[in-house]
Amino acid sequence: MAIFDSKGRLFGKINILDLGAALVILLVIVGIFFFPGTSGSVAQVGSKTVPIEVDLAVRGLNVRDPERLFDNGFKKGGKTNVIIRNQPYGQIGIKSVQTLDRTILATQPDGSVKEVKDPRSNNFSTDMLLTLEGKALATPDGPVLGNSKVKIGMPFELEGYNYNFNATVIDVRLQNK
């Protein structure tokens, strides 16, 4: 008696292709239940949670009255919702908010250029320097908030009761590193 017959069956009873498919399915099931992968994201392996401070620059925020923005919780000691790379992170504390004066460059009679305060009264553009504080995972590649690495130059979207605008990271400081 031959091992394979003319129709490709093993010992005349089992098709070799069916046997191969059954072995693959069995190996996948064994691999899933007996050798599961690591849990958690790759960014969390070998990392610890540390306090973080992130400085943000807001340039040209069009707002009629910046004080109304501060009346509804966007102030020192408040909290704001942060969205990083279209991924909601959650709330993070506001350590400081500093409104920067708008300036223009004025040419002087001697040909030099001087920076002076913008005299226009109808300018509804505001610049701010913000410092946010929270907890981040310290990884070898840098700090991670949620599932996003925090790096200088990346945009943060800030959202609250009466605002939604973008800011750019200009400094990242980890505490107790």
Side-chain angles (χ1 to χ4, degrees):
M1 173 161 194
I3 296 178
F4 294 106
D5 66 3
S6 63
K7 294 182 180 178
R9 292 182 290 193
L10 187 62
F11 300 115
K13 298 186 186 243
I14 300 172
N15 188 336
I16 192 77
L17 294 176
D18 292 340
L19 179 65
L23 283 174
V24 168
I25 292 171
L26 181 66
L27 288 174
V28 168
I29 291 173
V30 168
I32 289 173
F33 290 111
F34 292 109
F35 301 105
T38 60
S39 61
S41 71
V42 175
Q44 296 175 359
V45 175
S47 61
K48 63 180 180 175
T49 303
V50 295
I52 186 173
E53 288 183 358
V54 179
D55 287 339
L56 303 171
V58 179
R59 302 285 294 174
L61 177 62
N62 293 322
V63 58
R64 182 181 197 119
D65 183 13
E67 296 303 319
R68 289 193 56 208
L69 184 68
F70 305 140
D71 290 343
N72 289 307
F74 191 75
K75 58 187 170 189
K76 180 179 178 178
K79 293 203 177 284
T80 186
N81 294 315
V82 175
I83 301 167
I84 307 168
R85 294 187 178 144
N86 293 329
Q87 298 294 319
Y89 167 69
Q91 286 196 333
I92 192 167
I94 302 172
K95 185 174 182 180
S96 69
V97 178
Q98 178 185 359
T99 304
L100 304 174
D101 290 333
R102 295 287 294 188
T103 59
I104 59 171
L105 297 176
T107 308
Q108 301 300 307
D110 65 354
S112 64
V113 178
K114 184 177 178 184
E115 185 178 20
V116 296
K117 188 173 179 180
D118 191 353
R120 294 178 288 181
S121 61
N122 64 350
N123 188 1
F124 299 113
S125 184
T126 302
D127 294 340
M128 289 186 281
L129 181 62
L130 307 173
T131 302
L132 304 179
E133 60 184 353
K135 300 276 187 191
L137 291 174
T139 66
D141 293 333
V144 176
L145 284 175
N147 291 326
S148 300
K149 295 177 187 173
V150 179
K151 306 251 182 201
I152 293 172
M154 68 181 296
F156 271 37
E157 184 178 344
L158 304 177
E159 182 179 21
Y161 174 74
N162 62 343
Y163 61 89
N164 184 334
F165 59 88
N166 291 328
T168 303
V169 175
I170 58 173
D171 193 17
V172 179
R173 293 180 300 281
L174 291 177
Q175 311 296 321
N176 304 329
K177 187 172 179 187

